[in-house]
Amino acid sequence: MRWAFGFLFFLLFCSLSNLVAQVTTTQGKIVLDQWLQNLTTQYVLTEEPPLSREKEQKEFIRGQELFSRSCIGCHQQSGQGLVGSYPPLVGHVPNIVNSKNGKEYLIDVVLYGLEGPIQVGTQQYDGSMPGWGKVFDDQQLVDVLNYVLSAWGNKEKLASDKSFISLDDIKKERKKVLSPSAVLALRPHNLSSSYVKKPEEDLKELIKNYDASHPGKGIHAQYWEPIPMEMYWNPKNFYHPPQSIKGEVSRSDCLACHKTVTPGVFHAWENSIHGNLEAIRKLSDQDPKAYKKKELAEVEKQLHSQGILKNHEQLKEVSCIDCHGSIGAQKIRHDVDLHMPDRVTCGSCHVRQFAESESERKQKWPHNEWPQGHPSHAVDWEANVNLAAWAAMSERAVAQGCDMCHYQQNRCDGCHTRHSFSAAEARNPLSCATCHNGVDHNEFENYMLSKHGTIFQAQAKNWNFDVPLKDAIAKGGYTAPTCASCHFEYHGEYSHNLVRKVRWAFNPTPEIAQGIKEKQPWYQQRKEDWIATCSACHSARFAGEWLETADQAIFDGLKVQEEAKKVIEALYKDGLLVGQKTNRPVPPPPEKDAPGAFFQLFWAKGNNPSHVERVYANMWEHDMIQHYKGVMHANPGGFTYSAGWSVLLERYTEIMDENTRLRNRPHESQLSTGDHTSLLSSKAKLLFGIIGSSAGIILLSSSFGKSFGNKRKKK
């Protein structure tokens, strides 16, 4: 190899000699420069990064630190802001600097503050931002502004590199003296041009669609009859007014009577917003509940359009007769007109919230993994009455336990408890506990035992649940998320549609797991939606990593469950389950027999279910779901020891033992078809054994008697 390197060096030396000879001419210099350039391009392996890139990286880090220290409380770590309170920086900041005079306006906002109504996309904001000119020096302003221009994908949306801020830009704008309201006047006019006003909800159309889609008694109506209590769970179909009070009653009669007859109901109403509308109007703008003034105006506008209130007339009260009779009525016939309020009753005033909750029905799964709209509060009664196992239960008093949670489709007081209907109460995780607990939906337990829940238990006394969810962190003092703050949120917007981020649904299935494993767009987008939610408190990286590990834990649980399922189905197919050939009654209609099925959690007769089937039913419907919800709510005991994985393996072990035992025993099918001779032979052997034993005992006794007699004679 040495001779090769020597030869190359010789050629190089000769080339250099020829080039040096040409250097005296202009053309020779050009040739030399070109050669050196080519040599550098081909043989230089590394080069130091440009100073500008290193400077940019340091500036980004400094800006990130400043943003995290001073801006994150309002605009959030994700840059998404808080809808209605603080505008997003993601995507919006590039729109500003790409506008005419937008770069100067952006600097002025940070220097001098901003006050007054603005619009970002479809959302309006009417607040104030303090100026930071006296807090940050020029270099700090450069750092934090350029961080905002670079972060969250904003950099790719900038028109040019000239959009970035320099020290000269800051110094130029510092020469101005502006008030926050004066800065507002400088806002580029085109920033709100993309605003498209949402059409007002059509109440009549909402009610029409609600009535048309309501299942009533469901597809299994012929198999069950409602008990009296069910008039309260589904008043639309089952409620009838009491006949104890006849004739007309007035608005004032209701209050006078119920103050004595049901004082608890009366005082709950008396202390509610419904009973104190004037107090809402008198709230100062700084009061946490001041947003209710706007909501009251929405209600009044709706009542104006319905002709219930005259134009510009204010709503004086919301009393018993408005909800249990008709809105604005002065008299009703107690034994004829009285009704139990349902979604339509509440929605007739609270149209926006009604529309939001009904919009859950529009959810479509990419490959029909679940029916449209499922699972959601908007179809939970439908999910109840269309379930064969529920309709098959003859124990209707027990079955109503399902109704008591699956009635949100019918009424709003599952969250907004009668008769206070408090939004603050509904925002508290304790309100979710009635339904979201237990072995197949233990979200509440998992939340309370997670770090989020322990912070809630320790700190909630300092939180203000009166503020709307969008202000929970900035104004409500929340230091951890709640059920509502996570599930009502969607990219900074809060609404009564809780399913826009649903991925795994109520319980995991192999079909859903496949979509998540393959990173199908529908599932991947919803993962990104959750990361955006979690980024209000965590880094996007942390949130993404947690979801990845949580998904993997669920895959692992499903693998165990599916293996056990194959064993149970094979035992059923082969007729090996205990009692399968002799003592397996069919379940009551409309349910049909199946191994380890849902109905076996609520019905049993003879050997249906057999023990091993019940173990499997518990496994897939209880333990697997607890495993999933434990890991998704970050409760370590909920998906490792106390519930979830450890219990899944316990069930798995029991199922495998039973499989081995059942497949190695003389089972009923053999006895009933080919082993009667064997059985008779066994019985004959037993009989002869008994006879032989008896004879032996007699002979032994005889011999013993003779021996004993002989001994006596010898004496």
Side-chain angles (χ1 to χ4, degrees):
M1 292 295 292
R2 289 182 178 179
W3 69 267
F5 281 116
F7 181 73
L8 286 173
F9 182 80
F10 174 77
L11 291 177
L12 180 62
F13 178 79
C14 292
S15 300
L16 281 170
S17 299
N18 291 332
L19 285 169
V20 168
Q22 300 177 36
V23 165
T24 54
T25 66
T26 304
Q27 186 176 359
K29 290 181 180 180
I30 295 173
V31 172
L32 179 60
D33 290 341
Q34 184 66 46
W35 184 85
L36 289 171
Q37 183 178 346
N38 291 339
L39 185 68
T40 304
T41 303
Q42 292 177 34
Y43 298 104
V44 173
L45 299 179
T46 60
E47 63 176 332
E48 293 182 1
L51 290 177
S52 59
R53 181 178 298 178
E54 185 178 340
K55 178 182 176 183
E56 182 181 321
Q57 290 173 345
K58 290 180 178 178
E59 186 179 275
F60 184 89
I61 293 171
R62 293 197 305 267
Q64 186 178 43
E65 291 174 351
L66 284 168
F67 184 88
S68 298
R69 190 166 69 241
S70 305
C71 313
I72 195 174
C74 296
H75 295 290
Q76 305 299 296
Q77 188 169 347
S78 62
Q80 294 285 352
L82 293 170
V83 171
S85 297
Y86 307 112
L89 304 178
V90 177
H92 178 51
V93 170
N95 289 341
I96 293 176
V97 296
N98 291 340
S99 303
K100 185 178 180 181
N101 300 322
K103 183 175 176 180
E104 293 79 5
Y105 165 74
L106 180 64
I107 297 171
D108 292 341
V109 168
V110 179
L111 271 173
Y112 305 111
L114 182 68
E115 187 170 345
I118 64 170
Q119 191 169 290
V120 180
T122 60
Q123 183 65 46
Q124 292 184 334
Y125 299 85
D126 191 0
S128 62
M129 173 179 168
W132 292 87
K134 295 181 180 179
V135 179
F136 294 159
D137 62 29
D138 290 357
Q139 184 59 56
Q140 288 175 316
L141 287 169
V142 168
D143 293 343
V144 75
L145 280 166
N146 284 337
Y147 167 74
V148 168
L149 286 166
S150 301
W152 317 301
N154 282 344
K155 186 176 181 180
E156 288 73 23
K157 298 176 183 178
L158 298 177
S160 72
D161 288 342
K162 294 181 180 179
S163 301
F164 286 103
I165 312 297
S166 69
L167 281 170
D168 288 339
D169 294 327
I170 300 294
K171 290 174 181 176
K172 179 182 175 182
E173 295 305 310
R174 271 201 190 271
K175 293 177 182 179
K176 300 177 180 179
V177 180
L178 298 172
S179 66
S181 56
V183 173
L184 178 64
L186 300 175
R187 183 175 174 80
H189 297 295
N190 67 299
L191 292 178
S192 299
S193 60
S194 62
Y195 174 68
V196 178
K197 187 177 181 181
K198 292 182 180 179
E200 292 187 4
E201 300 293 346
D202 187 331
L203 178 60
K204 290 182 179 179
E205 191 68 19
L206 279 170
I207 295 174
K208 177 183 175 182
N209 292 336
Y210 176 82
D211 289 339
S213 60
H214 196 280
K217 286 186 68 177
I219 60 176
H220 304 303
Q222 61 179 308
Y223 297 103
W224 67 280
E225 288 299 326
I227 60 175
M229 277 303 297
E230 279 170 317
M231 76 173 78
Y232 300 104
W233 315 134
N234 178 15
K236 174 178 170 57
N237 297 106
F238 305 143
Y239 187 80
H240 51 82
Q243 300 301 300
S244 54
I245 299 176
K246 304 284 186 180
E248 278 192 340
V249 293
S250 68
R251 178 176 288 269
S252 58
D253 290 337
C254 297
L255 294 174
C257 179
H258 282 280
K259 186 174 182 178
T260 303
V261 176
T262 55
V265 167
F266 174 81
H267 289 298
W269 167 82
E270 185 180 39
N271 295 321
S272 73
I273 298 300
H274 286 166
N276 291 275
L277 294 182
E278 197 57 36
I280 293 299
R281 293 191 177 93
K282 293 178 180 178
L283 290 174
S284 71
D285 291 340
Q286 285 69 45
D287 192 285
K289 294 187 286 188
Y291 74 96
K292 290 182 178 293
K293 293 193 287 186
K294 182 179 178 181
E295 294 196 348
L296 179 55
E298 283 184 20
V299 171
E300 289 174 333
K301 182 179 179 181
Q302 183 59 229
L303 297 180
H304 292 152
S305 67
Q306 296 178 44
I308 294 173
L309 290 179
K310 296 178 182 178
N311 286 339
H312 308 298
E313 181 184 1
Q314 290 186 329
L315 186 62
K316 294 183 177 63
E317 64 177 356
V318 179
S319 190
C320 313
I321 203 168
D322 295 300
C323 298
H324 291 273
S326 61
I327 303 171
Q330 297 304 312
K331 292 183 178 182
I332 61 168
R333 292 171 297 170
H334 197 282
D335 55 332
V336 176
D337 302 323
L338 193 72
H339 68 89
M340 180 64 60
D342 61 5
R343 267 200 180 197
V344 170
T345 305
C346 301
S348 295
C349 286
H350 301 284
V351 182
R352 174 171 53 83
Q353 291 85 347
F354 183 27
E356 289 170 355
S357 58
E358 285 296 293
S359 68
E360 291 183 334
R361 298 172 181 273
K362 298 177 182 178
Q363 173 174 250
K364 292 184 179 180
W365 291 79
H367 308 296
N368 299 315
E369 292 90 337
W370 285 72
Q372 181 174 333
H374 293 255
S376 76
H377 292 126
V379 291
D380 64 352
W381 179 256
E382 176 184 310
N384 197 49
V385 298
N386 287 349
L387 187 67
W390 178 86
M393 288 182 69
S394 59
E395 303 83 1
R396 301 314 301 170
V398 178
Q400 72 152 340
C402 300
D403 307 347
M404 292 175 69
C405 283
H406 281 261
Y407 77 88
Q408 315 309 317
Q409 181 174 353
N410 303 330
R411 288 165 45 182
C412 300
D413 61 343
C415 301
H416 299 277
T417 314
R418 298 182 298 169
H419 277 81
S420 60
F421 304 105
S422 167
E425 180 187 330
R427 293 177 187 130
N428 192 306
L430 298 175
S431 291
C432 307
T434 300
C435 296
H436 290 276
N437 75 87
V439 288
D440 64 339
H441 33 54
N442 63 337
E443 296 91 351
F444 178 71
E445 296 95 322
N446 278 311
Y447 169 78
M448 292 295 276
L449 293 173
S450 72
K451 180 54 68 175
H452 294 158
T454 55
I455 294 172
F456 160 73
Q457 294 181 74
Q459 301 293 333
K461 61 182 179 294
N462 301 318
W463 299 0
N464 189 344
F465 289 100
D466 277 318
V467 303
L469 290 172
K470 64 183 179 62
D471 295 330
I473 297 173
K475 298 180 181 178
Y478 289 26
T479 51
T482 62
C483 314
S485 65
C486 284
H487 291 282
F488 278 66
E489 189 271 348
Y490 182 77
H491 289 285
E493 177 191 351
Y494 292 82
S495 86
H496 283 68
N497 183 328
L498 311 187
V499 298
R500 291 179 289 182
K501 296 180 296 194
V502 166
R503 293 170 72 236
W504 280 103
F506 178 77
N507 64 305
T509 67
E511 295 76 18
I512 293 174
Q514 180 180 355
I516 292 175
K517 282 181 180 178
E518 294 176 355
K519 299 186 183 300
Q520 294 175 8
W522 191 89
Y523 290 101
Q524 197 65 11
Q525 179 58 56
R526 291 180 173 226
K527 177 184 175 182
E528 295 300 323
D529 296 338
W530 268 114
I531 290 174
T533 297
C534 301
S535 294
C537 299
H538 300 285
S539 71
R541 183 175 70 170
F542 176 89
E545 293 293 347
W546 179 260
L547 289 174
E548 284 288 335
T549 58
D551 287 343
Q552 185 57 54
I554 296 167
F555 297 152
D556 294 338
L558 273 174
K559 183 179 179 181
V560 174
Q561 176 197 306
E562 288 300 298
E563 188 176 340
K565 179 182 180 181
K566 291 177 182 177
V567 170
I568 298 300
E569 289 179 340
L571 287 171
Y572 181 78
K573 180 182 178 181
D574 296 342
L576 298 178
L577 295 171
V578 172
Q580 192 170 352
K581 298 295 184 182
T582 59
N583 189 25
R584 189 178 180 86
V586 296
E591 191 56 86
K592 296 180 181 179
D593 197 18
F598 183 72
F599 77 86
Q600 293 173 334
L601 294 169
F602 302 99
W603 179 85
K605 193 172 181 62
N607 291 120
N608 190 1
S610 62
H611 172 71
V612 73
E613 289 177 279
R614 176 62 196 228
V615 171
Y616 175 68
N618 287 336
M619 182 187 198
W620 74 262
E621 215 279 336
H622 295 170
D623 310 316
M624 183 60 215
I625 293 178
Q626 289 188 101
H627 177 67
Y628 148 51
K629 296 190 175 177
V631 70
M632 278 301 177
H633 288 87
N635 172 20
F639 65 92
T640 50
Y641 288 105
S642 307
W645 182 253
S646 180
V647 185
L648 275 171
L649 293 186
E650 179 184 358
R651 308 279 195 207
Y652 174 87
T653 303
E654 191 170 353
I655 288 169
M656 295 305 160
D657 278 0
E658 277 291 283
N659 182 56
T660 301
R661 186 180 70 82
L662 292 173
R663 290 191 176 279
N664 289 281
R665 70 180 174 92
H667 48 80
E668 298 147 343
S669 59
Q670 292 176 331
L671 294 177
S672 61
T673 55
D675 279 15
H676 291 292
T677 304
S678 176
L679 178 62
L680 289 172
S681 176
S682 298
K683 289 181 177 179
K685 289 178 181 178
L686 177 62
L687 179 61
F688 284 122
I690 293 172
I691 293 172
S693 298
S694 299
I697 291 171
I698 293 171
L699 290 172
L700 182 63
S701 300
S702 174
S703 299
F704 178 78
K706 289 179 180 179
S707 174
F708 184 74
N710 291 335
K711 287 180 180 180
R712 287 178 64 85
K713 287 178 181 179
K714 287 179 181 179
K715 288 181 180 180

